[in-house]
Amino acid sequence: MELKEKLVSSFLAFEEEYTGANDDLHKIRNQAIKDFETMGFPSRKEEDYKYTSLKSVLKEDYSLFPRKENAIEYKDIKKYLIHEIDTYDLVFIDGIYSSHLSSTTHDKIDVCLMSSALNKDLYKPVIDNYFNKLAPKNGLNSLNTAFTKEGAFIHIHKNILADKPIQIINFSTGNESSILVQPRNLIVVDENSHCQIIERHQSLTEHPVLTNSVTEIFANKRAIVDYYKIQNDKLSASLIDNTYIEQKSESFCSVHTFSLGGKLTRNNLNFYQRGERIDSTMKGVTIIEGKQHVDHNTLVHHIEPNCESHQDYKGIFDEKSVGVFNGKVVVEKEAQKTNAYQSNNNVLLDDKATINSKPQLEIFADDVKCSHGCTIGQLDEEALFYLQSRGIPRKEASGLLMYAFANNVLESVKIPEIKKRINKLIALKLGVELGFNL
Amino acid sequence: MLKIKNLHASIEDKEILKGINLEINPGEVHAIMGPNGSGKSTLSSVIAGKEEFEQTEGEIIFENTEISEMDPEERAHKGIFLSFQYPVEIPGVSVTNFMKTAINAHRKANGLEDMPANEMLKKIREKSESLGIDRKFLSRSLNEGFSGGEKKRNEIFQMAMLEPKLSILDETDSGLDIDALKIVADGVNNLRSKDNAVLLITHYQRLLNYIVPDVVHVMVDGKIVKSGGKELALELEERGYEWVKAEKAV
C-alpha cells in the first residue's frame, strides 16, 4: 500500500484512540485528512518542489504509531543537547513525550506539551486563537494537522523574558522498523516578551526515519523570538520542517538553521509581517556531502510599511550532494519603506555537486529597498596561497577558508554555547584541525 | 642561501620573468627595484611557490635544495616567508588563531609537538608588543577591515612569529605613512641576523633609508639589468628608470 493510502486508512483508528472531548480539534483533524486526501504529497510538478523529489523518502513502509516510549537514558543523549547551560527541555522519543528527560514549567511561562494544551480547558483560549491558524493549507501541513497529537506548547505571557532557553528535541529510535513522526509545535510569545528556542531532530537508529514537523510561532507586539535549528542527523533520516512565523509590530524574530547532515532535508520557512517596524532574520549554514540533499524554501511576506527582512544562507557542497535555495520575498503595495535583503552564497567542492539557487522577488510597492545576491564558486586561490605561504597545508587551508566562509553566519547567534557547538560541528565537518579552542 | 639561475616564468603563456639570476647569502639584505610591470612581484610569488605561475626554465635553490617543485607550504616550512603586497582578508579567523595554526603547522612539518598554549601566548605578546600592536587587534578577524598600515604591520608580525630564514617583503612600504614605515622597518631590522636574509621588493627608495640594503638590483622587463650598492637606489630615485633602460639598450 502506498504511504498516502496507508495514512488515510489509519486515520480512523488514530481518531478513536486519541481524541478526547475536544470537538473543535476533532473537526480540524477531519477536515485536514480530507485535505490531505485531496492534495497528497507534493510532487516535482509543483514549482516549489521542482528540485526536491520526496519519492525516495516516501517509498518506505513507515510505522505510524509506535506503541511505547523506548527507554533511553540521559547519558545516551546528552551529547545531542546543549547541556552546558541551564535550559527547559522538551524531549520526545518516537513522538512520545519523555517526562524523565524533560524539564517543563508553568511558572510565568508555559513550557509543556501540545497534548495537554489541546485537551485542557485552561489552554483552550490560546489553542482557539492560534492553533492551525498560520500553516498554509497544503498536503504536508494537512497531514501533520490530521495526526496532531504531540509536540511542544510554549506560551510566554506578557512582559516576560523567559529565564532560560528552551530545547525541543525529537529522538527517533524506530526499534521496530522505519518510522514516521509528526511533531506539532505551537509557540506564542505575548507582548514585550522574549524567548530563545533550540530545536533538533535526531535519529538513534539505522532504520529510515521521516519527520514531518509543523511549528507555528506567533510573536506579538515588541516580542523577541530567537530560534535555532540544528540539523545534523543520520544518513537514514529525512526531515521536512515546516515553520511559520507571524509577527506583530516592532517584533524581532530570527531563525538560524544549521543543516549539516541527513538524507533529505527540506526547510519550509515562512514569515508573515502583520504590523510595522518588524524585523525578520533568517540565516542558514549548509555543509553536506555524499548524496545528501538540503532544500531551503523561504518566504517573507511584507504586508505593512517600514519593516525589514534579512536572509543570509551559505552552503558548501561536496561530492554528489544537492542544495536548493528558493527565497521568495513578497512586498505588498501597502508595504512602503520595506528593506529586504537576501543573499545566498555557495561553494561547490566537486564537479558533481549541485546547487539550485532561485531568488523570487515580487514587489508591488514603489518606495522600497530590496536586494538579493547569489554566488556559486570555488575557493579563492589567492587566499589559499596566502595561507599556504604561512606553512598551512593546502587541505587544512581549504578547510580553514570554508570554515571562515560559513562561520560569519554565526555572528548573530546570541547563545554563546550554541555558537561554540556549531563552530565545533562545522570545523569537524570540514576536517579542520583548528589547533585552537573556539 | 638562495640561488636563482636563469629563471623563466609565465602566466597564461605570457612570459613575465625572462631569465633571472640572483644570489643571496645569509646576513644580506637585497633590494629589487624597478618600474611597474617589470615582474618584481611575480618573482616574489614564484619564489614562494604560487601555482598560478608556470616556471618554464631555470632553478631556484634554497639552502642547497632545488625547491621549484615544492608546494608553497613546504617552502614556508623550509624558512621562506613572503610578506604580501595585498594581504588577503579572512573573516572568521582571528589573528591569534591564525598564528597558532601557522606556527603549529611549521612545528608539525619539522617533527615537533604543538607549541604549549602558554608559550604561544607569551610569544604572541612579546612580538606584538615590540611592533606596537594593540591586544584588541589580535582578536580581530585576519586582515578584515584593517587599514593599509595595519595589514603591513600584521605581515611583519607574522614574520616575527615564524622567524623565517629568508623574508621577501613585497612592496611592504606601499600605502604606509612615515610613522608606520618606521615601525615596520624597525620590526624588520630587529629580526636581522647573520643567519637570515631579506629580499625587499620596492618601488621607491624611501624604505631603503630605514632598511639599508647590501645590494640593489634593478629589474626591467623580467630581467635584472643592473646591480650595485645602496647608492644605486639613490641614483634611481633621482634619475628614474629610463637611464637604466637606455644604458641597457646601448
Side-chain angles (χ1 to χ4, degrees):
Chain A
M1 194 170 11
E2 291 235 342
L3 185 59
K4 184 183 161 188
E5 279 73 49
K6 182 171 165 180
L7 284 158
V8 171
S9 62
S10 308
F11 179 72
L12 272 183
F14 172 79
E15 272 289 84
E16 274 172 20
E17 195 167 339
Y18 294 108
T19 305
N22 195 331
D23 276 354
D24 293 345
L25 184 62
H26 182 71
K27 273 182 207 150
I28 291 173
R29 278 179 182 156
N30 273 286
Q31 184 57 48
I33 197 70
K34 277 182 201 143
D35 293 338
F36 172 67
E37 209 173 347
T38 314
M39 291 180 285
F41 290 105
S43 78
R44 289 185 70 172
K45 284 181 200 140
E46 289 169 43
E47 189 60 27
D48 268 354
Y49 283 82
K50 195 174 166 188
Y51 301 108
T52 297
S53 167
L54 299 178
K55 241 184 194 167
S56 69
V57 298
L58 296 177
K59 69 177 191 326
E60 299 294 337
D61 184 23
Y62 294 108
S63 139
L64 306 179
F65 312 112
R67 290 282 162 226
K68 57 174 178 20
E69 175 190 332
N70 278 290
I72 292 179
E73 286 182 52
Y74 179 69
K75 65 173 173 48
D76 302 325
I77 54 138
K78 187 182 168 194
K79 65 177 176 179
Y80 300 116
L81 302 168
I82 305 291
H83 56 79
E84 300 86 347
I85 47 170
D86 200 10
T87 53
Y88 295 112
D89 303 321
L90 290 165
V91 177
F92 303 93
I93 299 166
D94 297 336
I96 297 169
Y97 175 63
S98 167
S99 59
H100 77 284
L101 295 172
S102 301
S103 68
T104 58
T105 184
H106 290 290
D107 180 19
K108 292 178 193 148
I109 63 176
D110 293 308
V111 177
C112 60
L113 305 179
M114 186 60 108
S115 56
S116 45
L118 288 172
N119 294 307
K120 285 184 187 165
D121 287 344
L122 179 63
Y123 302 107
K124 197 165 185 300
V126 182
I127 293 291
D128 286 350
N129 249 336
Y130 296 104
F131 177 74
N132 206 35
K133 293 289 188 285
L134 197 52
K137 195 193 273 187
N138 64 36
L140 290 162
N141 288 339
S142 297
L143 176 63
N144 180 288
T145 304
F147 288 93
T148 289
K149 181 186 142 203
E150 195 55 286
F153 176 84
I154 297 167
H155 183 194
I156 315 290
H157 301 262
K158 207 171 164 181
N159 302 327
I160 301 283
L161 307 180
D163 55 336
K164 44 193 182 183
I166 301 157
Q167 301 197 73
I168 306 170
I169 319 281
N170 298 279
F171 290 107
S172 307
T173 62
N175 279 0
E176 298 156 40
S177 66
S178 55
I179 180 171
L180 169 69
V181 281
Q182 302 203 74
R184 177 69 173 230
N185 305 316
L186 176 63
I187 294 150
V188 179
V189 184
D190 288 345
E191 283 181 41
N192 304 320
S193 293
H194 176 203
C195 72
Q196 297 175 315
I197 295 166
I198 303 155
E199 182 196 285
R200 183 163 188 160
H201 301 272
Q202 184 64 47
S203 166
L204 304 171
T205 168
E206 301 308 323
H207 291 303
V209 173
L210 174 60
T211 302
N212 178 39
S213 164
V214 172
T215 303
E216 294 175 293
I217 301 170
F218 294 85
N220 287 303
K221 282 183 186 170
R222 292 176 298 280
I224 303 174
V225 181
D226 296 310
Y227 209 104
Y228 303 96
K229 292 173 184 284
I230 303 176
Q231 303 172 343
N232 188 25
D233 215 338
K234 293 198 171 179
L235 291 176
S236 50
S238 295
L239 169 67
I240 304 167
D241 182 300
N242 307 282
T243 299
Y244 306 101
I245 302 177
E246 179 178 284
Q247 290 184 254
K248 292 287 168 59
S249 289
E250 293 172 50
S251 62
F252 182 106
C253 286
S254 72
V255 175
H256 288 73
T257 307
F258 304 104
S259 309
L260 306 173
K263 177 183 165 132
L264 181 148
T265 307
R266 161 79 175 213
N267 288 295
N268 294 314
L269 177 59
N270 294 8
F271 280 79
Y272 304 95
Q273 296 184 335
R274 298 187 203 281
E276 294 202 36
R277 291 173 300 283
I278 290 167
D279 191 309
S280 308
T281 296
M282 60 212 86
K283 300 208 173 190
V285 176
T286 302
I287 306 174
I288 50 172
E289 66 287 313
K291 289 182 180 171
Q292 299 182 76
H293 183 113
V294 172
D295 179 349
H296 291 288
N297 189 293
T298 67
L299 165 72
V300 187
H301 197 166
H302 289 276
I303 301 164
E304 296 193 38
N306 301 311
C307 295
E308 296 197 9
S309 67
H310 308 267
Q311 294 188 60
D312 188 358
Y313 282 84
K314 298 254 167 103
I316 299 174
F317 303 91
D318 200 358
E319 297 171 348
K320 290 180 182 166
S321 62
V322 178
V324 183
F325 175 78
N326 194 339
K328 191 168 174 180
V329 177
V330 180
V331 182
E332 295 291 351
K333 205 172 159 192
E334 293 73 27
Q336 299 293 359
K337 306 277 180 198
T338 288
N339 189 355
Y341 166 84
Q342 181 187 87
S343 119
N344 174 229
N345 301 303
N346 303 286
V347 174
L348 297 179
L349 298 174
D350 192 305
D351 291 346
K352 296 195 178 71
T354 312
I355 170 76
N356 304 288
S357 182
K358 185 176 157 202
Q360 245 179 301
L361 275 65
E362 294 176 12
I363 301 168
F364 301 101
D366 49 19
D367 185 15
V368 299
K369 276 189 212 161
C370 293
S371 69
H372 70 92
C374 155
T375 61
I376 298 167
Q378 282 86 37
L379 293 176
D380 178 6
E381 277 299 326
E382 184 68 19
L384 276 173
F385 175 55
Y386 186 64
L387 296 175
Q388 284 179 276
S389 78
R390 298 300 180 256
I392 301 171
R394 190 173 172 94
K395 193 171 169 276
E396 239 179 272
S398 312
L400 204 61
L401 285 182
M402 287 187 278
Y403 166 77
F405 166 79
N407 175 273
N408 76 344
V409 168
L410 290 179
E411 275 168 22
S412 47
V413 172
K414 289 181 196 150
I415 304 173
E417 287 73 18
I418 293 192
K419 212 182 249 187
K420 272 188 212 158
R421 176 71 67 91
I422 300 295
N423 249 321
K424 226 172 163 177
L425 283 175
I426 291 177
L428 200 72
K429 185 92 186 168
L430 295 172
V432 190
E433 280 183 50
L434 289 166
F436 49 82
N437 289 317
L438 290 157
Chain B
M1 175 180 285
L2 179 72
K3 247 183 230 170
I4 294 177
K5 292 182 196 163
N6 189 33
L7 178 64
H8 289 251
S10 46
I11 182 164
E12 290 164 1
D13 291 331
K14 187 174 180 267
E15 188 166 60
I16 312 276
L17 302 182
K18 301 172 179 173
I20 300 278
N21 292 293
L22 179 68
E23 180 163 357
I24 301 176
N25 296 310
E28 291 180 350
V29 174
H30 287 233
I32 295 185
M33 302 181 73
N36 281 332
S38 57
K40 304 188 298 292
S41 285
T42 300
L43 176 62
S44 55
S45 294
V46 170
I47 298 172
K50 193 173 186 181
E51 279 160 35
E52 203 183 337
F53 298 99
E54 195 190 347
Q55 186 181 327
T56 50
E57 223 179 300
E59 291 173 29
I60 306 173
I61 294 159
F62 182 71
E63 305 245 282
N64 303 318
T65 310
E66 161 63 87
I67 59 166
S68 299
E69 295 296 317
M70 286 185 180
D71 289 334
E73 59 266 33
E74 293 175 275
R75 301 185 196 206
H77 299 151
K78 287 186 72 66
I80 294 176
F81 177 88
L82 171 63
S83 165
F84 279 52
Q85 184 177 1
Y86 304 108
V88 181
E89 298 194 3
I90 304 190
V93 179
S94 72
V95 174
T96 303
N97 287 338
F98 167 68
M99 218 54 257
K100 285 181 190 170
T101 309
I103 292 259
N104 285 330
H106 274 261
R107 291 176 67 97
K108 195 176 171 190
N110 291 308
L112 297 169
E113 298 274 300
D114 280 1
M115 186 181 274
N118 53 352
E119 200 181 316
M120 182 80 77
L121 286 175
K122 190 166 163 253
K123 187 166 179 171
I124 289 175
R125 200 160 47 230
E126 277 173 15
K127 301 290 183 186
S128 58
E129 274 171 13
S130 73
L131 285 161
I133 289 171
D134 192 329
R135 188 168 293 189
K136 275 187 220 140
F137 179 89
L138 298 170
S139 55
R140 284 171 63 186
S141 282
L142 186 61
N143 292 322
E144 192 188 29
F146 287 16
S147 69
E150 285 172 330
K151 281 183 182 168
K152 296 300 168 74
R153 205 185 294 190
N154 183 31
E155 293 291 283
I156 303 306
F157 167 64
Q158 293 174 34
M159 174 181 155
M161 289 293 295
L162 295 169
E163 298 170 347
K165 289 177 188 150
L166 173 68
S167 304
I168 306 166
L169 309 184
D170 187 7
E171 308 255 357
T172 297
D173 51 335
S174 67
L176 293 187
D177 61 30
I178 199 73
D179 293 325
L181 184 70
K182 277 184 190 163
I183 293 169
V184 165
D186 284 348
V188 174
N189 286 326
N190 288 337
L191 297 170
R192 285 179 67 175
S193 79
K194 62 177 176 32
D195 301 317
N196 60 31
V198 178
L199 177 60
L200 300 168
I201 309 279
T202 180
H203 215 68
Y204 303 104
Q205 188 270 336
R206 194 176 66 150
L207 177 68
L208 307 182
N209 288 335
Y210 301 97
I211 309 173
V212 181
D214 300 296
V215 187
V216 174
H217 308 274
V218 183
M219 193 162 164
V220 177
D221 192 25
K223 281 183 182 168
I224 290 175
V225 294
K226 196 174 176 65
S227 300
K230 63 182 180 222
E231 61 290 345
L232 179 57
L234 289 166
E235 201 173 353
L236 287 167
E237 182 81 354
E238 212 171 288
R239 300 173 62 186
Y241 291 107
E242 287 308 315
W243 67 276
V244 188
K245 288 187 198 170
E247 199 175 70
K248 189 195 160 210
V250 173

